[in-house]
Amino acid sequence: MLYMYNLRVKLQERRNRLHKIKYQHYITELQLFLEFLKENPHLKALVTKLEQNEAIDFNDWKKAQIRNVNFPTSETVRATLCYYILKECAADSSPDQVLNWAQRFSNETQLDDMLNDFNETVLDVLWRFFDDQIDEAGDVLYLLERFKLKTEWFHKEELWGTYKGDTTTGERNLDRKLREALFDGGIDFPFSEPTSPSGKADIVALSNMQDPLVLEVKVYDPQKSKDKSHLRKGFHQVRRYANDYQQAVGYLVIFNCSNNQLVLPSDNSDEGEFPPRIVHDSKTLFLISVDISSDRDSASRENPKNRIEVTRSELIA
């Protein structure tokens, strides 16, 4: 979750710079802001989501705005329009476009005052959209981390029994346990498996069904032919579903039913940061491993040589 927190801080710092900059330097700072959005994988995926939004055409909407600007009520559509306004302003090396738009959002006569109104009406709408999306992903990671710790500390035997009771349906039964925990954490019904162009995803829909959480559950149990190739399949399912639903992030939850510690790859700069994540196809895919085998040695007695390392190439191949 530290990753999401740091991202929010960096995004706010960029937003604050645009609020403090003087009019004559605004274009350069705005260009840097948009470059920052494209450089960060998570924000880039959110930008792509806006660019692929077919709910409104920016040019058609722009032509309809004669004097005052009327924004639609949809937050995503409004964020889309604000993004294109900023992009149009940044494309002009002169401040003319900024002045043109600022005059529509302000009754002030001083340029810096007009720019302040422009920032509050356009820039901040886009910033709040990104901030909410990041916050939402952080909430999901918090719930998944709590589920992992609660399971490994208090309910390992229970889930191990759930799996071993019938290994043919074990993966689905563990999936139900996770869904129940997410529901208790505030993620609402329905817990459906809607069909996307790539097939059926383990989707846990958020309250309004318009912004689904892409989550896939896989079991790691080499004795039952659920080995690294099974995890690779889950990884690519999450990636495809994230593309289909235009989501910036996806989650692969792995129930480790083996007697060995599962070491997952990560693009994290800090190896101790939870959870591991892989950036692939402009998507951030989080990997959460939950150990449930009661046959494993304790951490103090575990032989490091028995660890099973999954490499990045093994997941992406």
Side-chain angles (χ1 to χ4, degrees), residues 195-211:
T195 300
S196 78
S198 298
K200 286 189 175 182
D202 291 340
I203 297 289
V204 182
L206 299 186
S207 57
N208 60 6
M209 277 293 290
Q210 295 180 356
D211 200 17

Side-chain angles (χ1 to χ4, degrees), residues 135-183:
D135 190 41
E136 191 173 273
D139 289 343
V140 172
L141 289 176
Y142 172 75
L143 293 175
L144 291 175
E145 182 177 23
R146 280 189 61 85
F147 175 80
K148 170 182 169 65
L149 295 177
K150 188 176 181 179
T151 295
E152 294 177 348
W153 290 351
F154 305 112
H155 298 297
K156 179 180 290 188
E157 291 77 12
E158 176 189 341
L159 266 68
W160 181 242
T162 297
Y163 175 70
K164 294 298 287 186
D166 186 354
T167 54
T168 59
T169 60
E171 192 166 83
R172 179 171 292 275
N173 293 335
L174 292 172
D175 175 82
R176 288 174 60 87
K177 289 291 186 180
L178 175 59
R179 291 173 186 271
E180 180 183 358
L182 291 174
F183 176 72

Side-chain angles (χ1 to χ4, degrees), residues 9 19 55 65 96 110 149 153 208-209 292:
V9 170
H19 271 273
Q65 311 308 307
D96 293 344
Q110 298 297 317
L149 295 177
W153 290 351
N208 60 6
M209 277 293 290
I292 66 171

Side-chain angles (χ1 to χ4, degrees), residues 269-289:
S269 56
D270 182 358
E271 293 183 358
E273 183 181 336
F274 176 88
R277 67 179 185 271
I278 297 294
V279 178
H280 187 51
D281 280 357
S282 300
K283 307 295 182 184
T284 302
L285 307 179
F286 292 100
L287 313 175
I288 298 93
S289 175

